[in-house]
């Protein structure tokens, strides 16, 4: 428990958007009163432990000409593991989960598909459908993005 | 739209995969792409200012931090859409919130310390706005990786 709290203390103080300077870690370390080496060391450890999945740049996908995204939901009655793995192997699929059907419908695998046009999204979905052998699926294109943020350790 | 050249694309593809955990990260990127640190830095700065880069930073693993989360879908009428969205977005744990076509026209994810916290929050919203929010909690994660090759 103590360890998790110590980790959270660092993550709380860590900016989710790093400064773009020659020594960004030095600047961040200064702000949270530890040394640069200590910060890099801690972050490396958190990454090795899997608390930090990766440190990377997140792009605005519309600017990167990935103008269309669709949530595609699938009804997988069997071979869920294999189906999920195949879907996840497509680079255009950013998220792939097995989820509860929610008492609403039959769909239990949820994917986010990104493309440079509606047609591209449709083609990818068609391709996935053929590859996993599921015809029962539905696509929901996004119309407005109201929020997309990184998960942060909140101040409780 | 501002044009990005081949070097920009290489930089963006590299840092989408991984931003170096090192004292001089831009020098490291430069080493890999055979560019001067100064040039990488200038280009990344421009790509950020021009709105290609949303942020550079840590991507956290929710489960390791003891958060639970669920996807939710809800049918919201246009006349209360923005009011509802604004209230929802004030919650720190709401990380994604999109209007989509379909009967359930608003889809969001919400994370909190416990499923009870989430259920309590959603129940409050349902009562306040006379809505039915459908919950689709995750059972298994197959992939979370946003990467847009340029």
């Amino acid at each position: 428990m103590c360890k998790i709290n110590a980790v959270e203390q660092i993550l709380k103080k860590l900016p989710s958007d790093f400064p773009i300077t020659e020594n960004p870690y030095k600047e961040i370390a200064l702000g949270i009163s530890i040394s640069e080496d200590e910060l890099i060391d801690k972050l490396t450890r958190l990454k090795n432990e899997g608390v930090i999945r990766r440190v990377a740049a997140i792009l605005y996908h519309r600017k990167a000409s990935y103008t269309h995204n669709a949530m595609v939901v699938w009804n997988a009655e069997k071979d869920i593991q294999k189906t999920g793995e195949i879907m996840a192997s497509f680079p255009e699929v950013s998220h792939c989960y097995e989820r509860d059907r929610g008492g609403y419908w039959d769909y239990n695998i949820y994917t986010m598909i990104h493309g440079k046009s509606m047609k591209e999204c449709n083609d990818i979905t068609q391709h996935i459908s053929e590859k996993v052998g599921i015809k029962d699926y539905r696509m929901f294109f996004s119309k407005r993005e109201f929020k997309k943020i990184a998960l942060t350790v909140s101040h409780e | 739209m501002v044009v990005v050249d081949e070097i920009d694309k290489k930089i963006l593809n590299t840092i989408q995969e991984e931003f170096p955990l090192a004292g001089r990260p831009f020098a490291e990127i430069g080493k890999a792409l055979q560019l001067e640190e100064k040039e990488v830095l200038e280009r990344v700065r421009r790509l950020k200012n021009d709105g290609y880069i949303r942020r550079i930073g840590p991507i956290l693993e929710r489960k390791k931090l003891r958060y639970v989360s669920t996807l939710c879908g809800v049918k919201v009428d246009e006349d209360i859409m923005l009011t509802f969205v604004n209230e929802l977005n004030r919650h720190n744990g709401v990380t994604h919130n999109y209007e989509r076509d379909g009967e359930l026209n608003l889809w969001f994810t919400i994370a909190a310390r416990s499923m009870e916290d989430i259920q309590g929050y959603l129940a409050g919203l349902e009562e306040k706005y006379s809505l039915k929010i459908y919950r689709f909690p995750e059972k298994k994660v197959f992939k979370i990786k946003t990467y847009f090759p340029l």
Side-chain angles (χ1 to χ4, degrees), chain A residues 17 53-54 104 141 143, chain B residues 16 48 59 99 101 103:
Chain A
D17 191 6
R53 243 188 277 144
R54 60 198 170 107
Y104 180 69
F141 280 95
K143 290 164 84 177
Chain B
Q16 278 190 88
K48 180 85 193 288
I59 299 164
E99 182 186 28
D101 38 311
E103 195 209 0

Side-chain angles (χ1 to χ4, degrees), chain B residues 5-23:
Chain B
D5 64 15
E6 288 307 310
I7 297 172
D8 288 338
K9 287 182 186 175
K10 271 188 195 160
I11 293 174
L12 288 173
N13 287 343
T14 303
I15 61 177
Q16 278 190 88
E17 276 293 349
E18 201 74 71
F19 183 76
L21 263 168

Side-chain angles (χ1 to χ4, degrees), chain A residues 3-4 10 17 21 43 47 51 54-56 60 75 85 92 95 104 106 109-110 122 126 132 136 140:
Chain A
K3 200 175 155 221
I4 288 172
I10 298 166
D17 191 6
T21 58
L43 293 179
K47 206 180 125 191
V51 175
R54 60 198 170 107
V55 177
Y60 279 103
N75 177 12
E85 283 169 13
E92 299 89 349
H95 296 67
Y104 180 69
D106 292 334
I109 298 193
Y110 294 67
N122 288 331
Q126 182 66 36
V132 297
D136 185 8
F140 303 99

Side-chain angles (χ1 to χ4, degrees), chain A residues 70-128:
Chain A
M71 178 177 81
V72 186
V73 295
W74 311 78
N75 177 12
E77 282 166 351
K78 53 180 171 55
D79 301 330
I80 290 169
Q81 180 68 28
K82 199 170 146 235
T83 301
E85 283 169 13
I86 294 172
M87 289 177 177
S89 73
F90 281 77
E92 299 89 349
V93 172
S94 64
H95 296 67
C96 181
Y97 294 90
E98 181 195 357
R99 293 186 178 278
D100 192 88
R101 292 181 163 94
Y104 180 69
W105 54 19
D106 292 334
Y107 304 107
N108 59 338
I109 298 193
Y110 294 67
T111 51
M112 283 301 314
I113 291 175
H114 301 264
K116 294 180 178 174
S117 65
M118 205 175 256
K119 185 182 179 302
E120 208 175 276
C121 291
N122 288 331
D123 291 348
I124 295 156
T125 304
Q126 182 66 36
H127 189 181
I128 294 173

Side-chain angles (χ1 to χ4, degrees), chain A residues 4 8 11 50-53 95-99 150-153, chain B residues 59-71 92-96 109-115 118 136-144:
Chain A
I4 288 172
E8 287 183 358
L11 294 178
V51 175
I52 292 176
R53 243 188 277 144
H95 296 67
C96 181
Y97 294 90
E98 181 195 357
R99 293 186 178 278
L151 177 72
T152 50
V153 178
Chain B
I59 299 164
L60 306 182
E61 175 55 58
R62 179 175 43 75
K63 281 185 186 163
K64 292 261 185 183
L65 293 163
R66 299 172 301 150
Y67 280 89
V68 294
S69 120
T70 183
L71 173 71
N92 276 342
V94 172
T95 54
H96 296 69
T109 53
I110 178 165
R113 286 298 187 196
S114 72
M115 210 37 98
I118 292 178
F136 305 92
E138 72 180 46
K139 291 169 93 172
K140 190 169 174 80
V141 181
F142 290 109
K143 184 182 191 179
I144 308 173

Side-chain angles (χ1 to χ4, degrees), chain A residues 39-50 52, chain B residues 21-22:
Chain A
L39 176 65
I40 290 175
D41 200 57
K42 281 194 164 117
L43 293 179
T44 305
R45 209 172 325 138
L46 289 176
K47 206 180 125 191
N48 293 339
E49 287 167 3
I52 292 176
Chain B
L21 263 168

